Amino acid sequence: MGNKQTIFTAQQLFYRYRDLAPQLVPLDYTNHPDVKLPYELIGSMPELKDNPFRQRIAEVFSEDGQGNMTLDDFLDMFSVLSEMAPRDLKAYYAFKIYDFNNDDFLCKSDLEKTLNKLTRNELTEEEVRMVCEKVIDEADLDNDGRLSLEDFQHMIVRAPDFLSTFHIRI
Amino acid sequence: MQLTHHTPALQDTRTHLHVLFLWQRTYLDEAPACDAEDAAAVRSIKACSSIRLQLTSPLDAAGSLCEGIQDHERKMPRDSLIPSENDTDIELDFAGEDDFQEAHERKKHRGQRRDTDREKKRRKNSRRKEASSSADREKELQPRHKKTERSRRRSAKNEQETKRSKRDEEGRGQTTRRKTAKTKKNIKNEKTKKTDDEMEGEAGERNEKGKKKHGSAKKGERKEGGSEHVAKEKTQVKKKKKRHKKVVETSSDQETSEEGDDEENANEDEEVRPESLSPEELEKLKEAVDEKKKLIQSLRGKPWLMKKKLVTLRESQEFVEKYEGALGKGKGRKLYAYKVMMTKRWMKFQRDFENFKTACIPWEMKIKEIESHFGSSVASYFIFLRWMYGINMILFGLTFGLVMVPEALMGRPYGTIPRKTVPRAEEASAMDFAVLWDFKGYAQYSVLFYGYYNNQRAVGWLKFRMPLSYFLVGVGTVAYSYMVVIRTMARNANESGIGDDNSFNFSWKTFTSWDYLIGNPETADNKFASITTSFKEAILEEQESRKDDNIHLTRFLRVLANFLVLCCLAGSGYLIYFVVRRSQKFTLDGLENHTWWERNEVNMVMSLLGMFCPMLFDVISTLENYHPRVALQWQLGRIFALFLGNLYTFIIALMDEINLKREEEKIVKFNITTWEASLYNGTVSGNFTAPPVTIHPADVPRGPCWETMVGQEFVRLIISDTMTTYITLLIGDFLRAVLVRFLNYCWCWDLEAGFPSYSEFDVSGNVLGLIFNQGMIWMGAFYAPCLPALNVLRLHVSMYLQCWAVMCCNVPQERVFKASGSNNFYMAMLLVILFLSTLPAIYTIVTIPPSFDCGPFSGKNRMFDVIQETLESDFPAWFSKVFSYASNPGLVLPFILLMVLAIYYLQSTSKSYKQANVELKKKLQMQNEENKKKNKRAALKAQLDLEEARKEASQAGELQKNNNASIQSQEADEENHSRNPRIYHGRNGRGPPPFTDREPSTRGPVSRNYHHGNLSTPRYLPGFSQQSDPTTYRASNLQNP
């Protein structure tokens, strides 16, 4: 958190990755060691630890889908969540993050999970149900009762705050 | 105001990041899957990947990014260093060009090469050929997959040698025989190879992974490396020399080292001779290359896994690198290389420049840090503060450079004329701190205030037109401020122009309300709370749009609240007026015999009002029961009105004082004439030749100079305002935080969570304070040129103090006012303030004659007479004539009329555009709804049809129970089929009409039913009736945006 930089380099990212577990990650990556950091370490990064979607983020970007990340995955994550990633890419990954059951659609259960994470279960079930209905009503263009990637992108690119909030600074 | 302008720089860096690691990975782990690379070569590449990764990344400067990583890789164990391969050599040579130093440091690596130059060249040639002969490649790949790494290396080396010579000959023969056919084949090969590789790549990867775990392989390598080390040492010196030569020769290229490219080009001359290609083929090749290039560029935006990106990037880069050379010929190629080099340099320069620009933005890091703690709304205040600082810097530059410095340097020095001297009566106390703090004494008679300036038309050897400059700077500051504010507003409006529709209210709340920047648990807690409340509000609003409860009561309460607020405003206005009048009385009596409070009453009262009235308004606004956002805007509007009212009362009181001073001035003027006359009469009785009596300027009686008085008042106001702000900050925030933190250990209730808690950072209040402060600057800057300087100082201190206060003793506010939406609200307020503060200034300039014995315009009837004077004496005669014609009302009035008409026209066009926009939006929405309805209807109909068909089928089944079972099976079949389309439709509404494939299978059983003739007449032919469905689908799909 100390050095907030607009521009972070691959090198810095590597060190950040390594600092998470110096005993696991070698300094020498020439032979491409097969190192994976478990989700517990990734999720405890200060940039992620307060994020309600940290588990999803780790899962989406990790190759194994369990949140255990290689250096590649780690780089991938921060490049997508960096300020200069293109909007469409961000939208794609945002969709994946909110798609909790990995079925390529945002259905009601996904929305409910999102809402509960966003509000820490403060909303009543009634309210959650209503919001879900409204969301689907607003964004579902093909009327299949759930949001496809196209629906999501169509909605999210018009959001005024999406780009300014969907990034992480290291 | 948003920091969008960094993005190019950031994007570049991002490219770096990607590309860099793409390359690193490419050569690290994809190596075995490489197309036709010899196994040994592959390993060598792996060994030198650290070098390569620096040099071969398409964006050259990427090298600097990975220096750190390289550092470590420099330390990497020897074992991975496999004896010299051509690639290493090339890469290192290139390094010599790019950053020589590092290359020097790595000579250890280089020293481990032992191959002769000739061999290298041969290998290189062979490598070029490899791509063209896929059969060979296949042969080679076969053993590679089977053998372990260790054995593979040995065998591959042998294989390599033999194959290379064979292939060389083969390739040459081929190229001479059929050149045109060859290129075609090359392209084809490239394509097939790619697909092959993609499959092989995966297998290779898996192999590789398994192998890596094989520690034994590594050990073997290490041993070998050690033995070879000695041999390599010998050739080291030779190599170095050669490298230097090459450095001179090479010109940088993008995809690979230049050296490699050159030779490659030479090779391609054999393979693909451009002259021998027909134009169409050339065209095709060009297209393919362009396509690949595009792919490389857009790779960044592809949502693929890193590994896939790596493979694709490498392949397309190889393709481009291979065939790009074929497109240019002879001289064209050199030109092309030069062009590539220049674009690369240019890009590097641009990126560096952007980085430099980003680094130059003041307080960027501070603001980012705050942003990540408190979210974007608090950061928006600091960005606003910085923006203000920038504007004030420019205002300060104008006044300082064009008014204060010339007068101080070139004007007559202090003490030469009465207006530049402290009067005798004040001399004794002129240096006291209390006096200076009130901006009297020496401060009053200095460049800081209007009165000090001389009315000398031109000062110094530059003949600087001081009064004119003074006037123009006054006008210029206002004009510049208008321009900046309006431009910013327009830009903000442009940015947020699309975002104001409310059609995705809930979706946006769900998917974009979490600020991923938040990295602080407290902020996160607050964010959760604010999101929850915003959802609840939205739900309430949604429900409220349906019902309406007791409108009369709310209306009454709102009216009452407004009445109360108006009372407050009027009361505060009267209080200020009263205090100002009283203070005038005190001044007339002489300030010495009054207490500190009586002397500072005005400022104190204004500050206190500014502090407590907003709280009162807050209490009153609870009566109104508005939506929080609306309530916030009301609150802001009321505080705005309060400040404005106070300011204007102050100004009106000031006007009274000006009038008083002018009365006084008249008396003084009369006295002076009599005094002068008496002076002359008394000393020089009738003798005109005697030298005039010299009187010390301090003794000359002088007028009250109302302009300086006005300037002083504003400066005092600013100072007291600043002090109040800082003191409230220290007491209200810091002291409170300290108390809460440390008393919490020994208190009855939880202070942190309970009553006092920590203070919030009040964004809107702070922004308002800033805006009013700026308004006062604009108002007073004409009479006190030092005001912008003071303000710059104030803002500078504010920046640090508030940053510190926010970070150490504030908690984020619960009511989050979104930064993006409120920006223009603030700007609009700023514009209003600007207008309102220029009004009195312009009024005084135009209507009140300047003092007779102070300031740059003394002796003139009005201040703006200085323009006329300049026109008459400094410009040729015709110019002033033209100007007088132009300023003729007959010309000016039509011109103004024309402007008004133009404004009217533009406004009406924009209105119509807006209307059209709204109409279109409505149309789109309607279409959407219609589509939905249509879809629903179609789905319903399909379901009905299906049910009917099923019923019929079951009926038929019942009737023909004893018939063959095939019907039943078919029925089941039908059911399956009829269910499938629905699923299909559900999954992809835009896909092809799903019912088409249903026809044959459904028609089967039904037609059979028909054939049996045991059904009622309204026959249903599912395939037939649903024929219409696809068309509706298609139509609706087309309409979807």
Side-chain angles (χ1 to χ4, degrees):
Chain A
M1 296 291 290
N3 58 336
K4 287 273 167 303
Q5 296 207 0
T6 8
I7 296 157
F8 51 86
T9 60
Q11 181 202 342
Q12 280 170 323
L13 275 178
F14 173 71
Y15 285 132
R16 281 308 302 271
Y17 183 71
R18 196 174 171 277
D19 284 346
L20 289 176
Q23 71 280 7
L24 286 179
V25 185
L27 274 174
D28 171 20
Y29 249 70
T30 329
N31 297 321
H32 186 56
D34 186 27
V35 176
K36 269 187 189 175
L37 291 192
Y39 164 71
E40 287 73 35
L41 283 174
I42 300 286
S44 64
M45 286 179 74
E47 285 82 10
L48 285 176
K49 75 176 178 353
D50 295 309
N51 197 320
F53 303 110
R54 57 184 179 280
Q55 174 128 28
R56 277 304 298 166
I57 295 174
E59 279 169 17
V60 164
F61 286 102
S62 63
E63 216 181 333
D64 59 358
Q66 303 294 312
N68 307 321
M69 296 191 131
T70 62
L71 179 59
D72 268 351
D73 300 334
F74 191 76
L75 290 173
D76 229 4
M77 174 168 81
F78 278 105
S79 63
V80 169
L81 288 173
S82 72
E83 253 167 311
M84 44 279 191
R87 183 195 286 256
D88 288 340
L89 190 70
K90 277 178 183 270
Y92 174 80
Y93 278 101
F95 179 80
K96 285 190 102 173
I97 285 170
Y98 295 126
D99 179 19
F100 282 83
N101 52 13
N102 293 327
D103 64 349
D104 292 332
F105 286 98
L106 297 185
C107 49
K108 274 206 172 138
S109 66
D110 294 329
L111 290 176
E112 274 164 21
K113 269 186 196 154
T114 310
L115 275 175
N116 284 334
K117 287 212 182 248
L118 263 184
T119 59
R120 286 193 178 157
N121 300 319
E122 294 277 325
L123 293 183
T124 61
E125 260 179 48
E126 180 85 357
E127 283 167 331
V128 169
R129 204 171 40 78
M130 186 183 154
V131 171
C132 290
E133 271 168 21
K134 284 298 291 179
V135 168
I136 287 181
D137 191 44
E138 281 168 2
D140 183 19
L141 293 178
D142 47 17
N143 206 36
D144 55 357
R146 49 192 184 166
L147 305 187
S148 63
L149 180 58
E150 288 92 48
D151 295 336
F152 185 77
Q153 276 175 337
H154 178 253
M155 178 269 295
I156 208 86
V157 294
R158 283 163 182 73
D161 302 326
F162 175 60
L163 276 191
S164 63
T165 55
F166 194 75
H167 66 84
I168 289 180
R169 204 169 274 137
I170 275 219
Chain B
M1 305 272 307
Q2 297 293 340
L3 301 170
T4 44
H5 53 277
H6 315 318
T7 35
L10 305 179
Q11 271 174 1
D12 270 349
T13 341
R14 208 191 105 85
T15 332
H16 270 185
L17 195 153
H18 256 171
V19 162
L20 186 68
F21 273 84
L22 291 177
W23 274 89
Q24 189 186 16
R25 291 284 154 275
T26 311
Y27 289 99
L28 290 182
D29 63 3
E30 298 298 314
C34 281
D35 44 354
E37 214 70 62
D38 298 346
V42 164
R43 259 178 294 103
S44 85
I45 289 166
K46 229 160 105 187
C48 67
S49 63
S50 68
I51 302 146
R52 195 183 248 269
L53 111 110
Q54 182 194 16
L55 305 166
T56 53
S57 62
L59 300 162
D60 54 345
S64 59
L65 291 183
C66 59
E67 246 168 69
I69 291 173
Q70 261 184 1
D71 277 340
H72 296 291
E73 280 171 348
R74 239 174 265 147
K75 291 178 221 146
M76 76 191 164
R78 277 285 158 77
D79 59 350
S80 57
L81 282 172
I82 303 305
S84 74
E85 292 290 344
N86 35 28
D87 272 281
T88 327
D89 208 6
I90 292 159
E91 296 315 320
L92 284 169
D93 291 335
F94 192 50
E97 200 232 24
D98 221 346
D99 29 6
F100 201 78
Q101 290 285 29
E102 280 186 35
H104 247 293
E105 283 166 29
R106 277 194 300 272
K107 59 189 165 194
K108 271 181 262 161
H109 296 224
R110 219 173 296 123
Q112 289 167 342
R113 271 174 272 120
R114 57 132 204 216
D115 282 21
T116 62
D117 290 358
R118 215 169 29 158
E119 200 186 1
K120 252 181 260 163
K121 260 181 194 162
R122 262 169 58 202
R123 277 190 199 186
K124 219 170 279 168
N125 284 350
S126 71
R127 262 176 55 218
R128 306 302 161 210
K129 296 290 156 338
E130 280 158 14
S132 63
S133 56
S134 58
D136 277 344
R137 192 168 49 79
E138 286 297 325
K139 243 186 268 167
E140 210 178 295
L141 280 169
Q142 213 73 24
R144 200 205 298 168
H145 282 294
K146 281 171 196 159
K147 285 164 194 166
T148 64
E149 199 174 14
R150 205 166 156 187
S151 62
R152 192 179 64 198
R153 201 182 63 226
R154 282 186 198 136
S155 65
K157 238 176 219 168
N158 300 335
E159 228 176 25
Q160 200 183 330
E161 292 296 317
T162 53
K163 258 178 208 162
R164 197 173 297 130
S165 51
K166 208 167 71 187
R167 243 179 281 136
D168 272 344
E169 287 161 11
E170 201 181 68
R172 252 165 231 146
Q174 271 182 355
T175 42
T176 42
R177 259 173 265 139
R178 38 189 184 101
K179 284 162 194 162
T180 49
K182 178 104 192 201
T183 43
K184 273 186 203 165
K185 198 181 158 195
N186 271 342
I187 300 170
K188 220 184 273 172
N189 277 349
E190 201 66 40
K191 275 176 191 163
T192 51
K193 193 179 73 192
K194 217 169 68 187
T195 50
D196 275 1
D197 275 351
E198 254 160 29
M199 287 190 284
E200 283 165 12
E202 280 181 17
E205 260 168 48
R206 254 172 260 135
N207 279 355
E208 174 74 346
K209 261 180 201 165
K211 275 170 212 154
K212 243 171 238 156
K213 282 163 193 160
H214 249 273
S216 61
K218 269 191 191 172
K219 269 178 208 161
E221 269 177 32
R222 194 172 298 159
K223 259 184 215 161
E224 215 173 277
S227 64
E228 280 160 0
H229 187 69
V230 189
K232 271 172 264 151
E233 214 85 287
K234 287 174 195 165
T235 50
Q236 187 185 344
V237 187
K238 216 164 85 189
K239 288 276 160 56
K240 234 162 119 192
K241 270 182 199 163
K242 206 193 141 213
R243 184 173 51 73
H244 281 290
K245 244 190 262 168
K246 272 182 185 172
V247 167
V248 182
E249 286 169 10
T250 49
S251 63
S252 61
D253 198 302
Q254 201 152 336
E255 267 71 38
T256 48
S257 68
E258 182 60 25
E259 186 69 10
D261 221 29
D262 273 358
E263 278 186 39
E264 187 190 319
N265 286 343
N267 285 329
E268 268 166 21
D269 261 345
E270 293 172 357
E271 280 183 345
V272 189
R273 221 163 254 152
E275 306 92 60
S276 58
L277 288 172
S278 69
E280 298 140 44
E281 278 161 344
L282 257 179
E283 202 56 39
K284 245 184 220 166
L285 201 60
K286 215 175 194 169
E287 256 172 42
V289 167
D290 282 348
E291 207 173 285
K292 291 278 176 191
K293 270 186 180 169
K294 244 181 241 163
L295 184 69
I296 293 173
Q297 272 177 357
S298 63
L299 197 67
R300 204 160 57 84
K302 293 257 160 62
W304 296 341
L305 275 182
M306 201 53 115
K307 273 192 181 142
K308 194 176 172 196
K309 278 183 192 170
L310 297 166
V311 176
T312 329
L313 180 76
R314 197 175 47 73
E315 272 167 8
S316 24
Q317 270 176 346
E318 257 172 29
F319 184 86
V320 169
E321 153 197 334
K322 201 169 173 75
Y323 292 108
E324 208 151 47
L327 292 173
K329 43 191 135 175
K331 252 191 173 176
R333 195 174 304 151
K334 253 183 201 161
L335 191 73
Y336 175 79
Y338 181 73
K339 239 164 67 186
V340 166
M341 193 183 74
M342 285 321 283
T343 45
K344 212 171 65 175
R345 289 263 162 87
W346 173 239
M347 267 167 67
K348 182 177 158 62
F349 171 75
Q350 269 182 323
R351 192 172 44 241
D352 286 351
F353 189 66
E354 288 290 337
N355 282 348
F356 175 71
K357 266 198 328 204
T358 319
C360 281
I361 297 171
W363 302 305
E364 183 74 358
M365 290 306 124
K366 257 183 190 319
I367 291 176
K368 299 267 173 206
E369 199 178 335
I370 287 174
E371 193 179 22
S372 53
H373 273 86
F374 289 85
S376 48
S377 67
V378 174
S380 80
Y381 165 72
F382 286 97
I383 293 170
F384 189 66
L385 179 62
R386 187 175 62 185
W387 183 78
M388 281 292 203
Y389 184 78
I391 288 185
N392 276 290
M393 271 310 244
I394 288 177
L395 297 188
F396 166 67
L398 274 178
T399 49
F400 192 72
L402 293 177
V403 173
M404 286 163 87
V405 168
E407 180 68 26
L409 290 183
M410 300 189 285
R412 304 175 83 171
Y414 173 82
T416 47
I417 46 173
R419 72 184 64 176
K420 296 195 176 191
T421 326
V422 178
R424 190 71 69 195
E426 296 171 26
E427 235 168 30
S429 64
M431 216 37 206
D432 293 357
F433 179 74
V435 174
L436 284 180
W437 183 249
D438 266 352
F439 285 88
K440 291 195 165 171
Y442 281 110
Q444 186 180 346
Y445 300 97
S446 68
V447 281
L448 301 182
F449 291 104
Y450 173 93
Y452 182 80
Y453 293 82
N454 199 0
N455 61 348
Q456 207 179 345
R457 228 174 66 76
V459 294
W461 51 272
L462 277 175
K463 299 283 170 218
F464 191 76
R465 303 283 190 269
M466 195 56 222
L468 180 72
S469 158
Y470 195 99
F471 187 78
L472 289 184
V473 163
V475 173
T477 47
V478 172
Y480 170 77
S481 311
Y482 267 112
M483 203 183 70
V484 168
V485 171
I486 288 179
R487 213 180 50 191
T488 314
M489 273 184 85
R491 208 174 43 216
N492 280 355
N494 258 352
E495 269 169 20
S496 61
I498 31 159
D500 60 342
D501 69 323
N502 223 21
S503 51
F504 291 120
N505 188 11
F506 278 94
S507 313
W508 288 345
K509 270 210 173 68
T510 313
F511 295 119
T512 66
S513 56
W514 183 259
D515 197 342
Y516 280 66
L517 278 169
I518 289 174
N520 173 316
E522 267 176 65
T523 320
D525 285 344
N526 277 321
K527 190 76 189 174
F528 281 124
S530 84
I531 288 173
T532 312
T533 42
S534 84
F535 267 117
K536 283 194 168 150
E537 273 165 24
I539 291 169
L540 271 182
E541 225 171 294
E542 189 66 24
Q543 285 164 347
E544 214 154 279
S545 59
R546 291 165 206 156
K547 57 163 185 165
D548 216 343
D549 64 339
N550 205 353
I551 196 153
H552 294 294
L553 181 67
T554 38
R555 230 178 243 168
F556 170 73
L557 282 177
R558 279 173 193 183
V559 169
L560 183 72
N562 278 320
F563 178 73
L564 285 176
V565 168
L566 273 182
C567 285
C568 277
L569 289 178
S572 77
Y574 178 72
L575 189 62
I576 288 176
Y577 189 75
F578 174 75
V579 169
V580 170
R581 290 309 289 268
R582 210 160 75 132
S583 81
Q584 282 165 6
K585 221 187 292 163
F586 293 150
T587 338
L588 283 182
D589 293 354
L591 281 177
E592 306 78 50
N593 35 18
H594 288 286
T595 55
W596 179 84
W597 168 258
E598 280 170 336
R599 268 182 281 143
N600 293 290
E601 208 174 31
V602 185
N603 302 328
M604 292 309 289
V605 164
M606 277 181 79
S607 302
L608 286 178
L609 279 177
M611 223 157 78
F612 287 109
C613 274
M615 295 185 197
L616 204 62
F617 292 160
D618 215 9
V619 172
I620 291 172
S621 69
T622 50
L623 280 179
E624 294 177 308
N625 198 18
Y626 274 125
H627 181 275
R629 187 167 297 158
V630 182
L632 186 58
Q633 294 208 346
W634 271 97
Q635 170 84 349
L636 281 178
R638 277 168 193 163
I639 298 173
F640 188 80
L642 172 81
F643 281 5
L644 207 64
N646 294 356
L647 206 61
Y648 259 68
T649 345
F650 176 73
I651 287 164
I652 288 166
L654 219 55
M655 288 302 241
D656 281 356
E657 211 171 325
I658 289 174
N659 287 336
L660 275 178
K661 291 258 168 179
R662 284 183 57 217
E663 298 285 316
E664 200 186 322
E665 193 181 277
K666 262 180 208 160
I667 299 166
V668 169
K669 218 171 177 179
F670 178 73
N671 283 347
I672 282 179
T673 42
T674 52
W675 173 76
E676 269 180 345
S678 71
L679 200 70
Y680 281 108
N681 286 343
T683 49
V684 218
S685 48
N687 188 0
F688 290 105
T689 51
V693 197
T694 50
I695 304 165
H696 194 268
D699 295 326
V700 177
R702 58 188 77 174
C705 197
W706 60 267
E707 292 97 334
T708 299
M709 187 268 296
V710 172
Q712 273 173 320
E713 286 295 329
F714 274 109
V715 170
R716 272 179 225 150
L717 201 63
I718 293 283
I719 296 283
S720 78
D721 187 46
T722 312
M723 284 299 138
T724 338
T725 316
Y726 291 166
I727 288 170
T728 13
L729 197 80
L730 284 180
I731 292 177
D733 289 357
F734 182 64
L735 210 63
R736 182 169 157 189
V738 168
L739 285 181
V740 167
R741 169 66 49 90
F742 291 106
L743 280 186
N744 203 24
Y745 298 121
C746 48
W747 205 257
C748 337
W749 68 85
D750 189 5
L751 286 173
E752 286 186 350
F755 160 60
S757 89
Y758 298 104
S759 55
E760 286 178 359
F761 186 79
D762 177 18
V763 176
S764 44
N766 274 306
V767 169
L768 268 185
L770 211 58
I771 287 175
F772 270 87
N773 176 52
Q774 193 60 38
M776 285 190 272
I777 300 296
W778 279 321
M779 240 188 263
F782 191 75
Y783 297 117
C786 63
L787 266 184
L790 270 181
N791 202 31
V792 164
L793 205 69
R794 176 212 160 121
L795 294 179
H796 200 95
V797 176
S798 276
M799 192 70 177
Y800 285 103
L801 199 65
Q802 287 195 306
C803 275
W804 164 78
V806 161
M807 290 306 278
C808 94
C809 43
N810 276 3
V811 289
Q813 58 182 155
E814 276 172 52
R815 193 163 56 184
V816 179
F817 199 41
K818 269 205 186 119
S820 57
S822 58
N823 253 343
N824 251 2
F825 187 64
Y826 294 144
M827 286 317 242
M829 281 204 278
L830 194 64
L831 191 66
V832 171
I833 276 291
L834 179 54
F835 178 72
L836 290 176
S837 57
T838 46
L839 266 190
I842 289 174
Y843 175 76
T844 50
I845 287 171
V846 171
T847 55
I848 303 176
S851 309
F852 74 99
D853 67 340
C854 68
F857 310 113
S858 57
K860 293 193 180 60
N861 195 23
R862 292 279 185 269
M863 288 178 191
F864 54 83
D865 282 349
V866 71
I867 301 264
Q868 211 165 359
E869 189 196 69
T870 312
L871 278 176
E872 274 164 12
S873 50
D874 285 344
F875 284 91
W878 60 268
F879 194 85
S880 66
K881 223 176 204 173
V882 168
F883 192 80
S884 69
Y885 282 135
S887 61
N888 185 17
L891 255 172
V892 170
L893 278 184
F895 186 69
I896 290 176
L897 199 69
L898 195 72
M899 282 215 308
V900 168
L901 286 178
I903 288 173
Y904 177 73
Y905 171 74
L906 286 178
Q907 206 223 348
S908 58
T909 34
S910 83
K911 209 185 248 172
S912 67
Y913 280 142
K914 212 177 256 172
Q915 218 160 14
N917 227 349
V918 169
E919 205 90 320
L920 272 177
K921 219 176 253 174
K922 220 184 262 172
K923 220 177 244 177
L924 260 179
Q925 216 159 10
M926 265 170 46
Q927 222 157 43
N928 256 351
E929 303 251 304
E930 212 161 292
N931 282 349
K932 277 187 187 175
K933 263 185 214 158
K934 234 182 232 171
N935 284 358
K936 230 174 237 173
R937 227 182 300 140
L940 254 174
K941 200 174 176 190
Q943 207 172 357
L944 271 179
D945 290 348
L946 182 71
E947 223 130 86
E948 209 171 314
R950 212 181 286 165
K951 224 186 275 169
E952 285 171 15
S954 62
Q955 274 175 9
E958 268 173 38
L959 283 169
Q960 307 196 0
K961 257 179 206 161
N962 46 0
N963 228 351
N964 54 4
S966 71
I967 291 174
Q968 270 174 7
S969 73
Q970 265 164 341
E971 197 178 313
D973 209 32
E974 179 216 37
E975 214 165 358
N976 281 341
H977 274 279
S978 56
R979 201 171 287 151
N980 278 341
R982 255 194 303 168
I983 291 163
Y984 185 47
H985 154 59
R987 194 163 288 163
N988 185 0
R990 283 155 210 237
F995 295 103
T996 42
D997 67 328
R998 219 188 114 186
E999 257 180 77
S1001 59
T1002 43
R1003 191 170 277 173
V1006 175
S1007 60
R1008 193 163 301 177
N1009 290 343
Y1010 185 58
H1011 176 72
H1012 287 291
N1014 44 15
L1015 279 177
S1016 49
T1017 33
R1019 199 72 20 92
Y1020 167 57
L1021 287 174
F1024 194 74
S1025 75
Q1026 276 162 8
Q1027 202 69 25
S1028 61
D1029 281 341
T1031 54
T1032 57
Y1033 260 97
R1034 215 165 261 153
S1036 66
N1037 288 337
L1038 281 176
Q1039 279 159 358
N1040 270 343

